[in-house]
């Protein structure tokens, strides 16, 4: 008999992602009841065969159980993932004419070259904060005019450039539907971007069914510039609309982290349009900016060459897209302030500890606690090439179950609930090569390393590193690639608590991809992942995938 410990979902508030491969109803149940993460994955999603000893345990603590029928969940169950920050974090794009047609606003006085060439991890791992649309710095980007060292904002006039034409060759235009009308809208304060992504992915080797399935998503980003709209200078309103569909699961058997980020976000919302970002931004003087509202943290990695990208542009595994921290929800409500000094940029964040994907009004804000984050980023050079160092610390006051009691039902815990959880993360990136046609782009090395409390945060430490960027092959500057490795060391208290039922350990994996630009607006990507699952009873997994992306 296979059972899952569903009640644990109600107790663990560590990671805001609940990834249940047992189906959307289970995922909805987990989220609705405040399940916050990786721990949920283990509790809601741990399935185990009842032996006589396990039966005794379950009777003793009167576990509430439910039958699970799906053979495809991580840990042989459904899975939950962590609050992400993106890290969670998302995209900058320069148009061929030299003007930036991104639906976004740069909120720091970092130059665009610093942003797009150094793989700056925007939030909160670093202090450099950029808010832009999901249209990565893909090959459609060309160098901006020399007199424009950062993207246009409502405080800085647009660089002089030849007007775009919708009659530009289909093979050269940056968007399928043309660029001229976008330039005209942008000049009036409205930017719009629409992308359609399709996936075909499955398990080639490992435990579980060797099935390949299809899925996809649609992303729309709309930004309004208050200065160009004739209101006030430096302000902006931003939204990100997302829609995902298809039978493709984000998980494979025994693997804790989703192998397809584009099919798990936004949380709890398949076959539905969700506004994952809905916020206001304001530039304050030359060196400060403020964001307030509902913010998709993955969107904050717009200018990063390595992380971010929603699983539609760069890596697909969430460990590379937005490495889970355990203390940052995928969609937050709060405020972010960015202050540029010399030579360091600081980012301050205050936000609700719970995921707010399905919320459009700040009711019950901070009712379960408050999260604080402080980041600092130094941008410099090594051997004349762009280099970034960043340090970030995030602390949550939310009360969570002691992981040693994760299998015990309410009222039978032997340890008091824990209040307070943290993550301290260091990031480094360095360009080894700058594209000759666009020095703002290139490829290089990246690294994230972090320490966490391990209880109630289910993460103790992790390491994510690799090589990636754009223009690996001469003459193919619009192509992008990545080769990355991740290792997550989970809480010893958590392992000790659940190991009598399931052999749960650490997880590590490798992902490599190559994205081929057929045109600036149409990219095809081949992706390969090799993963040693957190469920030690599962075989090593080989996951293969294809991805297509069209920018309309």
């Amino acid at each position: 008999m296979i059972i899952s410990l569903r009640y644990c979902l109600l107790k663990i508030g560590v990671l805001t992602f609940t990834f249940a491969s047992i189906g959307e109803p289970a995922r909805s149940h987990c989220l609705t009841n405040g399940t916050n993460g990786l721990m949920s994955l283990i509790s809601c999603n741990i399935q185990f065969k009842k032996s006589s000893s396990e039966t005794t345990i379950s009777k003793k603590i009167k576990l509430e159980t439910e039958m699970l029928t799906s053979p495809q969940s991580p840990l042989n169950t459904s899975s939950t993932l962590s609050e992400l920050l993106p890290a969670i974090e998302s995209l900058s794009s320069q148009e061929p004419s030299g003007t930036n047609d991104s639906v976004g606003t740069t909120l720091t006085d970092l130059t665009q070259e610093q942003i797009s060439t150094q793989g700056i991890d925007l939030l909160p791992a670093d202090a450099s904060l950029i808010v832009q649309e999901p249209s990565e710095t893909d090959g459609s980007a060309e160098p901006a005019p020399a007199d424009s060292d950062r993207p246009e904002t409502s405080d800085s006039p647009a660089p002089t450039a030849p007007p775009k034409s919708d009659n530009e060759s289909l093979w050269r235009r940056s968007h399928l539907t043309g660029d001229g009308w976008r330039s005209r809208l942008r000049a009036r304060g409205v930017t719009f971007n629409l992308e359609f992504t399709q996936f075909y992915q499955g398990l080639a080797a490992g435990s579980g069914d060797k099935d390949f399935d299809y899925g996809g998503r649609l992303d729309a980003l709309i930004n309004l510039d208050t200065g160009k709209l004739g209101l006030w200078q430096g302000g902006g309103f931003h939204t990100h609309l997302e829609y995902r569909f298809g039978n493709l699961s984000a998980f494979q058997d025994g693997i804790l982290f989703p192998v397809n980020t584009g099919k798990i976000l936004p949380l709890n919302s398949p076959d539905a349009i969700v506004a994952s970002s809905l916020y206001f931004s304001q530039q304050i003087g030359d060196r400060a900016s403020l964001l307030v509202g509902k913010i998709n943290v993955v969107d904050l990695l717009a200018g990063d060459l390595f992380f971010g990208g929603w699983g539609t542009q760069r890596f697909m595994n969430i460990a590379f897209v937005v490495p889970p921290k355990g203390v940052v929800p995928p969609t937050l409500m709060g405020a972010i302030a960015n202050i540029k000094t010399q030579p360091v940029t600081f980012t301050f964040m205050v936000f609700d500890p719970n995921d707010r994907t399905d919320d459009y009004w700040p009711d019950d804000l901070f009712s379960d606690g408050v999260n604080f984050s402080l980041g600092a980023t130094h941008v410099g050079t090594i051997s004349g090439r762009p280099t970034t160092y960043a340090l970030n610390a995030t602390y949550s006051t939310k009360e969570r179950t002691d992981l040693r009691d994760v299998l015990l039902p309410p009222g039978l815990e032997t340890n008091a609930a824990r209040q307070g959880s943290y993550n301290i993360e260091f990031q480094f990136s360095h360009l080894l090569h700058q594209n000759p046609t666009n020095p703002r782009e290139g490829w290089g090395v990246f690294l994230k390393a972090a320490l966490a409390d391990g209880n109630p945060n289910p993460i103790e430490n992790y390491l994510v590193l690799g090589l990636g960027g754009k223009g690996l092959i001469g003459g193919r500057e619009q192509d992008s690639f990545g080769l990355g490795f991740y290792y997550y060391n989970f809480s010893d208290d958590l392992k000790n608590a659940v190991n009598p039922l399931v052999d749960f350990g650490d997880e590590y994996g490798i992902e490599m991809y190559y994205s081929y630009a057929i045109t600036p607006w149409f990219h095809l990507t081949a992706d390969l992942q090799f993963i040693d699952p957190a469920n030690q009873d599962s075989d090593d997994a080989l996951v293969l995938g294809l991805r297509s992306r069209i920018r309309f």
Side-chain angles (χ1 to χ4, degrees), residues 124-128 344-349 373-377 390-393:
D126 335 59
S128 320
V344 178
T345 299
F346 294 96
T347 297
F348 304 90
M349 301 174 56
S373 180
L374 171 63
T377 300
L391 184 65
N392 167 265

Side-chain angles (χ1 to χ4, degrees), residues 92-415:
S92 101
S93 172
Q94 291 284 359
E95 297 303 318
S97 70
T99 60
N100 187 341
D101 196 30
S102 294
V103 185
T105 303
T106 300
L107 298 179
T108 72
D109 64 352
L110 287 175
T111 66
Q112 177 64 17
E113 177 176 356
Q114 291 171 330
I115 291 167
S116 57
T117 62
Q118 305 189 45
I120 295 176
D121 176 29
L122 301 178
L123 183 154
D126 335 59
S128 320
L129 179 60
I130 307 168
V131 179
Q132 294 184 328
E133 68 177 28
S135 66
E136 93 196 81
T137 55
D138 57 14
S140 60
E142 290 187 1
D147 62 347
S148 172
D149 61 354
R150 68 172 182 172
E152 171 192 357
T153 70
S154 55
D155 283 335
S156 58
T160 303
K164 297 180 182 179
S165 170
D166 289 326
N167 295 322
E168 186 177 15
S169 166
L170 186 67
W171 302 99
R172 292 179 54 83
R173 61 180 59 174
S174 62
H175 295 77
L176 173 61
T177 56
D179 302 318
W181 66 274
R182 277 188 175 78
S183 297
R184 293 189 290 273
L185 275 179
R186 184 177 181 84
R188 291 168 173 77
V190 179
T191 51
F192 173 79
N193 210 52
L194 180 67
E195 295 192 0
F196 177 60
T197 307
Q198 301 176 87
F199 307 98
Y200 185 69
Q201 188 180 43
L203 186 68
S207 302
D209 295 336
K210 309 301 186 294
D211 293 331
F212 282 69
D213 289 310
Y214 168 82
R217 62 181 288 120
L218 196 65
D219 291 272
L221 287 97
I222 304 169
N223 288 9
L224 304 178
D225 187 318
T226 59
K228 294 179 182 178
L229 288 171
L231 301 175
W232 67 90
Q233 295 299 308
F237 295 93
H238 316 266
T239 186
H240 181 181
L241 304 177
E242 301 182 72
Y243 175 82
R244 58 183 174 90
F245 63 91
N247 296 324
L248 176 62
S249 172
F251 295 93
Q252 293 295 335
D253 284 4
I255 301 173
L256 180 64
F257 291 137
V259 297
N260 191 318
T261 304
K263 282 296 291 155
I264 196 63
L265 298 177
L267 289 182
N268 199 35
S269 303
D271 300 313
I273 298 176
V274 175
S276 59
S277 278
L278 196 61
Y279 61 92
F280 167 73
S281 67
Q282 179 65 50
Q283 189 77 24
I284 304 171
D286 294 332
R287 297 184 178 274
S289 60
L290 178 69
L291 270 69
V292 179
K294 176 183 179 180
I295 303 170
N296 179 338
V297 289
V298 185
D299 291 354
L300 297 175
L301 281 178
D304 202 306
L305 286 176
F306 311 113
F307 300 100
W310 302 279
T312 65
Q313 299 170 356
R314 295 183 274 282
F315 289 102
M316 294 174 68
N317 192 300
I318 204 163
F320 299 107
V321 177
V322 281
K325 292 173 175 282
V327 288
V328 180
T331 299
L332 59 84
M333 275 192 181
I336 304 171
N338 199 56
I339 301 173
K340 180 67 186 295
T341 65
Q342 293 295 338
V344 178
T345 299
F346 294 96
T347 297
F348 304 90
M349 301 174 56
V350 179
F351 55 97
D352 190 277
N354 298 318
D355 177 65
R356 308 303 292 253
T357 298
D358 296 327
D359 298 330
Y360 294 92
W361 186 255
D363 55 326
D364 300 325
L365 199 64
F366 306 123
S367 61
D368 290 332
V370 59
N371 284 16
F372 304 93
S373 180
L374 171 63
T377 300
H378 181 276
V379 177
T381 62
I382 295 179
S383 299
R385 300 198 180 280
T387 306
T388 300
Y389 307 89
L391 184 65
N392 167 265
T394 305
Y395 181 80
S396 175
T397 67
K398 183 176 180 178
E399 185 177 276
R400 295 174 169 90
T401 299
D402 190 304
L403 296 184
R404 293 171 294 180
D405 294 336
V406 67
L407 297 185
L408 297 178
L412 294 183
E413 297 94 338
T414 59
N415 298 284

